[in-house]
Amino acid sequence: DTERAYSNLNAMSEGRYVQHFPMFWYHLAKAAYDANDKNAALRYYNRFEKENIEIFRYDRTAVDAYKGKITLLCETETAQNKTEIISKLQFIEKNKTSWNDYYFCEYLYHLVQFLF
């Protein structure tokens, strides 16, 4: 149940034990997006970015988080979103772990040209 998962994770977000744990913010953002709370999902993806430290060469969680954030940013077409989308796509290209990441980047590069 996506609504229940979202409400449970959201209730935990005030606890001090999860404040600096990037995986928690990723899962909370994903649950918020699944529950159709897109403003909260974007806020939680931003929190993930704040807490995530790039220490791994191929960070699968960061790639998935940026893909989710790009999906949200594509819904509002502004010039600021375009630059952020491009920078996230460049990160995904550096940290790609599957061919799906290539396809995602290629599709979004073409989409960004037409949207903005």
Side-chain angles (χ1 to χ4, degrees), residues 7 15 27 41 49 55 62 73 76 81 97 99 113:
S7 67
H27 288 292
E49 278 185 73
I55 57 173
L73 291 175
T76 57
N81 287 356
T97 57
W99 281 101
Q113 290 178 357

Side-chain angles (χ1 to χ4, degrees), residues 6 29 31-45 68 71-73 75:
Y6 174 53
Y33 184 79
D34 291 342
N36 208 19
D37 190 359
K38 295 180 181 177
N39 290 331
L42 188 58
R43 191 172 60 244
Y44 298 139
Y45 278 128
T71 304
L72 287 170
L73 291 175
E75 294 177 7

Side-chain angles (χ1 to χ4, degrees), residues 42-58:
L42 188 58
R43 191 172 60 244
Y44 298 139
Y45 278 128
N46 287 335
R47 183 64 189 262
F48 169 83
E49 278 185 73
K50 178 183 170 195
E51 300 299 334
N52 190 41
I53 299 170
E54 296 178 20
I55 57 173
F56 298 111
R57 183 170 180 191
Y58 299 112

